[in-house]
Amino acid sequence: MTTQSATALFATTAIASSEGAAAPEWVQLFPAGPQLVARDGRSWRLSDPQAVIAAFEANGAPIPIDYEHGQAHRAPKGETAPAAGWITAMEIREGAIWARAEWTDKAAAMIAAREYRFLSPEFYHTKAGEVFLVVGAGLVNRPALRMTALSRADDPTAPHTTETDMDLTALCRALGLDAGASVENILAAVERLQGEHRTALAAAEAPAMERFVPRADYDQAIARADTAETELAAVQTERQTGEISAAIEDAVKAGKIAPASRDHYRALCAVEGGLENFKKLVGTMPVIGTPSDLDERDPARPSGLSEQQRSIASMMGLSEEDYAKSL
């Protein structure tokens, strides 16, 4: 993948303002965009600083701060280019990008002694000049851009940008893209992740009302459900008891079972499927006794005759007592 890289010092404000001052934990890498213009005429765009930070975080590793951009100029020649520190985090402050730096003891001492006063970021940008990835930074003493950060005045005879083969395999892998994805696709993936992140934050701060139920309402609904379930069970039990009693009484009247065996058959019907089994059993049982009419008799009448028997006695011109004696 071919893209363009550049280094620039963006500051007139020193890292340590006076001798003996400690090296700062946070330093500025880029001023607020979108347009970044150098004194020598070079310019870039920082349209989406959050995308730059997202690309740094997707890499999953700190990036080096060296001396005079040694990683870019000396290391490719096999020369020593030690680290002065490491960028471990980035954040946006009023549109500018700031970085947390973990300095080596040597670099911290040099900054405190004002041997190095400015910081210059090294970054990649598209051919259109859009900054999309920070790959490092260097301690320098010749700032080139006017802003609250550090910059480096390049050799005026050197080209403003250089074509560089950049390996973005790790970044593509972290974004779920193919290794050969274009810069445009990488930026689109970063923007998509940003959108998903914003959506997730919004959902966490303001959950959808249809998914949110106050605890008091939830407890009340559960209590109502439990009450309704209890009442339904009672109704079902009462109905089942009525059906069992009716079936047993029908069997008694039909002479299929003895009245004294009611409780026995009621217990059998109470188990799961017992009523249906009882009905099937009664259908196959023979009549074991003449159906009794005792349950139809009126105990309040001396004769104890049933309505049908009283009707017969009346048609025969007999009193109920006389008719009862003839039975």
Side-chain angles (χ1 to χ4, degrees):
M1 179 184 299
T2 300
T3 185
Q4 293 179 318
S5 65
T7 58
L9 258 176
F10 296 149
T12 55
T13 300
I15 295 178
S17 58
S18 60
E19 188 171 355
E25 180 183 7
W26 285 89
V27 292
Q28 189 183 43
L29 286 179
F30 293 93
Q35 197 69 23
L36 306 178
V37 181
R39 290 190 180 121
D40 58 9
R42 289 180 301 164
S43 66
W44 303 274
R45 288 188 62 81
L46 184 63
S47 302
D48 191 351
Q50 186 59 53
V52 176
I53 293 177
F56 162 74
E57 293 174 346
N59 185 54
I63 56 177
I65 301 173
D66 55 28
Y67 300 94
E68 302 289 350
H69 290 291
Q71 291 291 319
H73 302 294
R74 289 193 291 273
K77 301 176 184 179
E79 299 175 5
T80 301
W86 298 90
I87 293 175
T88 60
M90 293 184 189
E91 66 179 32
I92 299 173
R93 299 182 184 179
E94 298 181 350
I97 296 180
W98 287 70
R100 177 189 287 126
E102 292 183 357
W103 304 104
T104 63
D105 292 342
K106 176 182 177 181
M110 296 177 76
I111 292 171
R114 304 180 72 189
E115 294 178 18
Y116 275 108
R117 299 187 61 189
F118 303 100
L119 186 68
S120 169
E122 181 179 352
F123 53 90
Y124 286 96
H125 59 85
T126 66
K127 290 184 178 181
E130 188 69 44
V131 177
F132 67 90
L133 181 67
V134 180
V135 294
L139 286 173
V140 296
N141 282 324
R142 298 178 64 188
L145 298 183
R146 300 180 183 276
M147 52 168 277
T148 308
L150 305 175
S151 82
R152 173 177 179 271
D154 287 330
D155 181 351
T157 63
H160 292 169
T161 61
T162 57
E163 294 292 332
T164 305
D165 288 334
M166 178 177 59
D167 186 3
L168 296 180
T169 302
L171 180 58
C172 290
R173 183 169 58 250
L175 293 172
L177 301 175
D178 294 334
S182 66
V183 173
E184 289 74 15
N185 288 340
I186 292 175
L187 291 176
V190 171
E191 291 176 0
R192 184 179 67 254
L193 288 176
Q194 286 180 293
E196 294 174 354
H197 179 65
R198 287 192 293 267
T199 300
L201 288 178
E205 293 175 358
M209 290 305 298
E210 63 270 16
R211 299 183 181 179
F212 174 77
V213 178
R215 183 68 191 188
D217 292 348
Y218 171 81
D219 292 340
Q220 187 176 27
I222 292 298
R224 288 177 178 174
D226 290 341
T227 300
E229 185 176 357
T230 301
E231 292 176 352
L232 177 60
V235 170
Q236 291 175 336
T237 299
E238 183 178 356
R239 183 178 63 184
Q240 183 181 31
T241 300
E243 291 177 353
I244 290 174
S245 296
I248 291 176
E249 293 306 316
D250 288 345
V252 170
K253 292 178 181 179
K256 296 292 188 76
I257 64 174
S261 63
R262 284 188 177 95
D263 290 342
H264 170 72
Y265 286 108
R266 186 172 286 107
L268 293 179
C269 291
V271 301
E272 185 176 358
L275 180 57
E276 293 301 320
N277 292 333
F278 173 74
K279 290 179 179 180
K280 293 178 182 178
L281 177 63
V282 169
T284 62
M285 294 172 65
V287 176
I288 60 175
T290 303
S292 172
D293 62 357
L294 292 176
D295 291 334
E296 298 178 0
R297 296 185 180 185
D298 186 354
R301 292 180 176 272
S303 64
L305 298 179
S306 66
E307 289 294 333
Q308 183 179 10
Q309 290 171 331
R310 287 197 298 274
S311 178
I312 294 173
S314 177
M315 288 187 292
M316 294 176 64
L318 298 175
S319 66
E320 292 183 14
E321 289 77 5
D322 291 339
Y323 180 78
K325 293 177 181 179
S326 67
L327 296 177

